[in-house]
Amino acid sequence: MPWNNEFGDDTEGGKKTESSDVDSPPETIVQIIQKIIAEVIGTFFVIFMGCGSVVVNHVYGSVTFPGVCVVWGLIVMVMVYSVGHISGAHFNPAVTVTFAIFRHFPYKQVPLYIVAQLLGSLLASGTLSLVFSVTDEAYFGTIPVGPDIRSFVTEIIISFLLMFVISGVATDNRAIGELAGIAVGMTIMLNVFVAGPVSGASMNPARSLGPAIVMRKFKGIWVYIVGPPIGTILGALCYNLIRFTDKPLREITKTASFLKSKN
């Protein structure tokens, strides 16, 4: 797959092996800086293009809601294939924290990634506010529609789905890795289609915090700080419960002895 190293799986002879802070070779300062820069750039363009489509739709009315959904999915897919092999293309503090919890990412790099993601979001939000005349109606952040608790539950559900898909395509060597970027991008698009009118379909604390800080709109911001990490952790946990084994299916089914040992 295009970004298996950065999502926590080392490659050896073209095959994945589970990694941990103990097993992984130490990274140089230059490699870490490269990852941070990639996360800043990737997050910048995800927020600039995704939130930019929201602004353009409000200001000019030429994108439409389905168009906004497609833009979010496409930009995530594009950036995964662009920098995924460098940084892992997290672009999301909730994803970074979840991978660290499940030992697919070193804990010591978590703060660096979160700072990079927030910086990318702030830069993108600031750029949008300079390029466009953003009114209150054209606000490109996320604000709960109706009760906060409804958006909170929605964010947990869609973040669960996002992390469930990421866990399947990024940490399981039985998945078709070359299609991982498409799978993640399409998941984002589907989530925005369904949850966009309710919560704004953030799934990402950085995506909500950047616009909120730049535009000084913090209504319901706790929803987007707390909800996505809960959803991503539950999504990864669920996938790990059903994964069963890291062995390819052909190895599992070629002999009955494996199944017998599980009975």
Side-chain angles (χ1 to χ4, degrees):
M1 63 178 302
W3 58 165
N4 53 345
N5 283 343
E6 286 66 34
F7 268 144
D9 295 326
D10 297 324
T11 54
E12 183 175 346
K15 297 180 180 180
K16 291 185 188 178
T17 58
E18 292 296 326
S19 68
S20 67
D21 291 344
V22 176
D23 299 327
S24 302
E27 292 183 297
T28 65
I29 298 298
V30 172
Q31 289 175 317
I32 294 175
I33 292 175
Q34 289 172 332
K35 288 184 175 186
I36 299 307
I37 294 174
E39 281 294 299
V40 172
I41 293 173
T43 306
F44 175 90
F45 281 108
V46 166
I47 303 302
F48 182 81
M49 293 298 179
C51 291
S53 68
V54 175
V55 176
V56 171
N57 189 47
H58 279 298
V59 175
Y60 302 104
S62 57
V63 179
T64 73
F65 174 67
V68 171
C69 300
V70 171
V71 169
W72 277 108
L74 285 177
I75 187 56
V76 170
M77 180 187 71
V78 167
M79 295 316 299
V80 164
Y81 285 127
S82 297
V83 301
H85 53 285
I86 299 173
S87 71
H90 294 191
F91 313 143
N92 186 338
V95 171
T96 300
V97 169
T98 300
F99 271 116
I101 289 173
F102 290 91
R103 301 188 67 187
H104 292 297
F105 189 75
Y107 278 105
K108 61 185 178 182
Q109 292 184 21
V110 170
L112 297 175
Y113 264 52
I114 292 177
V115 170
Q117 292 152 1
L118 289 175
L119 178 59
S121 180
L122 286 169
L123 289 173
S125 300
T127 303
L128 286 173
S129 68
L130 290 174
V131 173
F132 298 98
S133 298
V134 182
T135 62
D136 289 341
E137 293 73 21
Y139 177 56
F140 50 88
T142 51
I143 296 178
V145 177
D148 285 2
I149 191 64
R150 183 168 65 184
S151 292
F152 178 65
V153 172
T154 302
E155 285 296 318
I156 291 176
I157 293 172
I158 60 177
S159 299
F160 178 104
L161 175 60
L162 174 62
M163 196 68 209
F164 187 85
V165 172
I166 291 175
S167 296
V169 299
T171 69
D172 197 328
N173 60 2
R174 294 171 294 175
I176 303 175
E178 291 75 13
L179 301 180
I182 297 175
V184 174
M186 293 304 97
T187 302
I188 297 286
M189 182 185 72
L190 293 172
N191 281 343
V192 178
F193 261 117
V194 175
V198 179
S199 68
S202 174
M203 300 165 275
N204 184 343
R207 180 262 181 270
S208 295
L209 275 172
I213 293 172
V214 170
M215 303 300 296
R216 296 180 178 85
K217 289 181 176 289
F218 299 99
K219 181 180 182 298
I221 193 65
W222 72 271
V223 169
Y224 309 104
I225 296 175
V226 180
I230 293 176
T232 53
I233 291 170
L234 291 176
L237 176 63
C238 185
Y239 189 85
N240 279 301
L241 289 175
I242 68 170
R243 186 202 306 252
F244 191 61
T245 179
D246 284 329
K247 291 185 177 181
L249 184 61
R250 61 181 178 273
E251 291 186 21
I252 298 174
T253 56
K254 68 182 180 182
T255 175
S257 60
F258 178 83
L259 296 178
K260 288 179 181 178
S261 65
K262 296 297 178 183
N263 295 331

